[in-house]
Amino acid sequence: MIGIEDNKPDAVEAMRKACEKYAEFSVTALKTKYPQGGEKQLVYALTGRTVKMGGLPLDVGAVVCNVGTCHALCRAAYEGRPIVDRVVTVGGCVQNPANYLVRIGTPVEWLLDTSKGLLPETKMLIYGGPMMGTCVADLSQPILKNNNAILAFSQERAKLPKASNCIQCGRCVNACPLGLAAKDIVVAFNKGNVELLNQLHADLCMSCGTCSFVCPAKRPLAPSIALAKIMMKNGGKK
């Protein structure tokens, strides 16, 4: 079963045409919704099966592979070729935004130079997308197999909004694709209560950033939960 968001009609049509001769394949245009590409969300959207909290897609008879993984498997099986390159998007505040097929190990600086350099207003660089990306600490750092993008943010885009007190609206809970109570997890983290963090299943957070995005108080919920997960691994030490 192949799922493609419906804002990519050309891709949907191309894949349907490619699968015409194979009855065992189906291509579904899925509603464009973040994070539609999450494993559990994708399994539910395509099959209607629900993966229980703490479970894996295999528990409901499903295996999820993204396009890059499928391509890598094909190369490994038919060409005997390991993963040596990947497609990386360079976007945001750069002179020439583009997609590049680059060797793993290519320095970030080379990609930026190939994109004609950063714009003067650049303030921050991140690996990945705007919701789940992490900061690029050094331009000499190499591209790894899990790096799919380099985004340059301006001062305006990089500035964090001023946070205020939680108003208990519950939007973070309703928006969480896994049904986690972000506001309660953050309270437990601030108190250093690892037992409560376990009860709230904080370790299951996929760091999609949806809770922070919908919070009217502009609280940094997702980063706090990421720190809570580290604290849980360290036995209660922040």
Side-chain angles (χ1 to χ4, degrees):
M1 303 180 77
I2 301 171
I4 304 173
E5 288 183 313
D6 57 14
N7 64 345
K8 304 172 182 66
D10 292 345
V12 173
E13 183 60 29
M15 288 302 296
R16 283 177 174 166
K17 187 175 181 179
C19 294
E20 284 178 351
K21 298 179 181 179
Y22 306 96
E24 66 271 29
F25 282 85
S26 64
V27 180
T28 303
L30 300 172
K31 179 181 179 182
T32 302
K33 179 182 179 182
Y34 179 82
Q36 187 70 275
E39 282 191 337
K40 297 178 180 179
Q41 291 71 40
L42 199 55
V43 169
Y44 180 78
L46 288 173
T47 70
R49 304 172 193 171
T50 301
V51 180
K52 293 182 179 179
M53 185 172 289
L56 297 171
L58 194 60
D59 297 336
V60 295
V63 174
V64 181
C65 291
N66 61 35
V67 174
T69 299
C70 291
H71 187 224
L73 286 171
C74 180
R75 277 184 163 183
Y78 291 96
E79 301 175 17
R81 180 174 178 173
I83 300 175
V84 296
D85 53 28
R86 67 155 303 130
V87 175
V88 179
T89 297
V90 179
C93 295
V94 292
Q95 299 285 354
N96 183 35
N99 295 319
Y100 298 100
L101 178 63
V102 298
R103 290 293 180 96
I104 292 172
T106 301
V108 171
E109 188 173 20
W110 184 91
L111 280 168
L112 297 176
D113 290 343
T114 306
S115 296
K116 310 302 181 184
L118 297 169
L119 296 176
E121 61 267 28
T122 302
K123 179 65 176 179
M124 178 188 293
L125 289 175
I126 65 169
Y127 289 119
M131 295 290 281
M132 300 179 69
T134 57
C135 287
V136 177
D138 189 337
L139 296 185
S140 65
Q141 288 183 337
I143 293 297
L144 305 177
K145 64 179 182 179
N146 59 321
N147 297 140
N148 62 348
I150 302 292
L151 296 185
F153 282 11
S154 65
Q155 173 72 37
E156 180 183 359
R157 295 288 186 182
K159 185 178 180 181
L160 294 176
K162 185 177 180 180
S164 57
N165 293 330
C166 176
I167 61 174
Q168 301 295 325
C169 67
R171 291 185 187 179
C172 58
V173 181
N174 293 332
C176 178
L178 299 178
L180 302 179
K183 61 183 183 62
D184 297 331
I185 292 174
V186 173
V187 170
F189 166 66
N190 290 334
K191 292 181 178 179
N193 192 333
V194 177
E195 182 179 353
L196 183 55
L197 287 174
N198 283 312
Q199 293 174 8
L200 294 169
H201 304 288
D203 58 317
L204 299 182
C205 173
M206 57 191 288
S207 300
C208 67
T210 305
C211 54
S212 295
F213 185 79
V214 301
C215 178
K218 307 300 180 183
R219 303 175 70 218
L221 299 172
S224 296
I225 296 174
L227 293 174
K229 292 166 68 175
I230 294 174
M231 187 173 73
M232 293 170 72
K233 289 182 180 180
N234 294 337
K237 296 180 181 180
K238 293 186 178 181

